[in-house]
Amino acid sequence: MAMTIDGKAISQRIKDELKEQAAALKKQGIKITLAVIQVGNDPASTVYVRNKKKGCEYIGIESLSYELPEETTQQELLSLIGELNRKEDVSGILVQLPLPAHIDEDKVIRAIDPKKDVDGFHPQSVGALCIGQPGFVSCTPAGIIQLLKRSSIEIAGKECVVLGRSNIVGKPMAVLMLRENATVTIAHSRTRDLKEVTKRADILIAAVGKPKMITADYVKEGAVVIDVGINRDENGKLCGDVDFESVEPLCSAITPVPGGVGPMTIAMLLNNCLESVRMD
Ligand code: GUN
């Protein structure tokens, strides 16, 4: 039987630690404020944004909410970001993705002051991560490192396969595992003999966005399996990239969906919000 890694419980512990740290900062007169921008009303984004604001409230971070209409122009959004960059009392800026098609996401990300880039998406944050310098780290990959460490899973020297190469998860994940001294392979849709590659993994991290794609024949016996996917199965039920029923009997530890990686993303965002006032 595999250990099920309880992301909900681990993220709760982290949030309670952050709550104490935020209270200590408040006593020193340091206030933390996160500006959250959503353009349009994508239902999934609305849920994520609501949960992020709830997380802020729980640990004592003020959140400023900017709910902009779908037809907001790129220039209007860039002007708002410029204004928030200049405001001393705003410590972090988060623009929920995806943005409407008429707005250039890269341009928007680049407009955020790297000192306020709590999502860790700015090229300067990504570059700093790659060369081991201080900067914000993308929340989902940072959360996965915490899940592994807080579950006493060794990373150094292990074979790690990251499946997926997105800028938000796959690439920063691979860099973080490298920083923890794993031997890292990034696999993707063009990888040959994919099952042979994923079967080498002591730690397999699936971030492909394909419901239940990873079945037992992709996994080595005793591997640790981390599922980043948030998908709907054929019955509309929430599921990951990993076929939990088929993989669980064979691995040593596994994250469920929901309740695995998901809750960690918000905990790490809140951690970055605290970092944003410490970095000053
Ligand atoms: N959309 C999906 N995941 C994320 C995230 O971590 N941050 C932001 N800003 N948008 C997202």
Side-chain angles (χ1 to χ4, degrees), residues 111-248:
I112 298 171
D113 181 340
K115 289 203 205 89
K116 301 190 179 189
D117 174 38
V118 286
D119 257 328
F121 293 168
H122 191 286
Q124 187 172 310
S125 307
V126 179
L129 171 65
C130 286
I131 58 173
Q133 290 189 358
F136 290 109
V137 179
S138 179
C139 302
T140 300
I144 291 170
I145 298 289
Q146 284 300 312
L147 275 184
L148 294 169
K149 288 192 168 172
R150 288 172 185 251
S151 305
S152 304
I153 293 165
E154 273 268 337
I155 305 174
K158 296 289 175 65
E159 286 284 342
C160 173
V161 176
V162 179
L163 189 47
R165 52 178 159 176
S166 70
N167 290 340
I168 295 183
V169 182
K171 284 180 202 153
M173 189 73 245
V175 175
L176 281 180
M177 291 304 272
L178 184 61
R179 192 161 90 176
E180 297 294 331
N181 299 307
T183 302
V184 184
T185 304
I186 305 179
H188 46 79
S189 53
R190 303 285 290 272
T191 298
R192 269 186 289 137
D193 302 323
L194 182 61
K195 287 179 187 171
E196 298 312 310
V197 174
T198 56
K199 270 191 158 167
R200 291 207 297 262
D202 300 312
I203 302 173
L204 177 61
I205 301 173
V208 278
K210 295 218 167 105
K212 300 187 186 176
M213 174 186 154
I214 304 302
T215 48
D217 46 344
Y218 285 82
V219 180
K220 177 170 77 174
E221 193 166 352
V224 172
V225 179
I226 304 292
D227 189 351
V228 187
I230 303 179
N231 314 297
R232 299 267 167 196
D233 70 7
E234 60 283 4
N235 305 315
K237 205 173 145 226
L238 213 58
C239 73
D241 293 345
V242 177
D243 183 8
F244 189 91
E245 261 79 67
S246 128
V247 170
E248 191 267 349

Side-chain angles (χ1 to χ4, degrees), residues 45 48 52 94-98 119 121 138-140 168 265:
S45 289
Y48 292 138
K52 288 171 186 180
L94 182 147
V95 180
Q96 187 63 28
L97 304 178
D119 257 328
F121 293 168
S138 179
C139 302
T140 300
I168 295 183
T265 300

Side-chain angles (χ1 to χ4, degrees), residues 5-14 146-147 150-151 264:
I5 299 174
D6 187 346
K8 215 171 158 192
I10 295 173
S11 70
Q12 186 59 49
R13 246 175 279 143
I14 294 174
Q146 284 300 312
L147 275 184
R150 288 172 185 251
S151 305
M264 295 300 290

